[in-house]
Amino acid sequence: MPTPNDTPFPSNAFRRQDETPDADFYHFPRFVTHIDEGAIAAVTQLYREYLPANGAVLDLMSSWISHLPEEVAYQRVVGLGMNEQELRANPRLSSYVVQDLNQTPLLPFADNEFDGAGICVSIDYLTQPVEVLRELARVLRPEAPLVITFSNRCFPSKAIAAWHALDDRGHLALVQRYLETAGGWHHIELLDRSPNGYQSDPLFAVVGRVV
């Protein structure tokens, strides 16, 4: 299994325009949505299709809203994010953890603890994505799904250099490469779930399952 020092990514791939501590950037809550209603509906539909009802779900890089389908009940939903005020305001979370994954990519959860996980419009901010995805493979149960969604919008100063250098198709390939490099994932799907309509935000997803 690859280690952080032998991943197939150039050393500058994970640099950012703003290298100040992320805790400073996320210190103040942002009670806004980062994609429009059409793209949010596409995220919710993916969760409806892939995340098991009545299961334990991990909302990684969470905030004040999780975009989970309202009609689906889960055993519990655990959020991990950067701003406690946002997490505290999220009505779908059973519990939450405040943690900077770029500083500490190890997840504070037991092996095989969750039945599914989602990362919504945040994968582009991870500076150690392989380590985080390796940890996700550890805390998810065998065959549990991970739904990673993203659009063409971001905080430019905090997105990694590789994200800026690629187009939508390149982003799909990059996230797939993350999963392959992390190991422990199979049945990886690359999806374009962009809503119909010229003015809607696009929505793309990479879905993998734990071996």
Side-chain angles (χ1 to χ4, degrees), residues 32-43:
V32 298
T33 54
H34 301 287
I35 47 178
D36 65 17
E37 291 184 3
I40 289 172
V43 172

Side-chain angles (χ1 to χ4, degrees), residues 87-131:
L87 294 168
R88 193 187 309 126
N90 189 327
R92 292 306 297 267
L93 299 183
S94 309
S95 61
Y96 63 82
V97 176
V98 178
Q99 181 173 322
D100 181 353
L101 292 175
N102 288 339
Q103 288 291 322
T104 307
L106 300 180
L107 298 178
F109 308 114
D111 295 356
N112 306 318
E113 185 170 343
F114 296 98
D115 300 297
I119 302 177
C120 182
V121 296
S122 298
I123 191 72
D124 41 322
Y125 304 123
L126 287 177
T127 60
Q128 302 182 73
V130 170
E131 289 76 9

Side-chain angles (χ1 to χ4, degrees), residues 67-98:
H67 305 315
L68 294 165
E70 293 183 2
E71 78 281 4
V72 178
Y74 301 95
Q75 178 188 41
R76 64 189 180 109
V77 180
V78 178
L80 185 150
M82 288 287 294
N83 186 276
E84 185 168 11
Q85 289 177 263
E86 291 182 15
L87 294 168
R88 193 187 309 126
N90 189 327
R92 292 306 297 267
L93 299 183
S94 309
S95 61
Y96 63 82
V97 176
V98 178

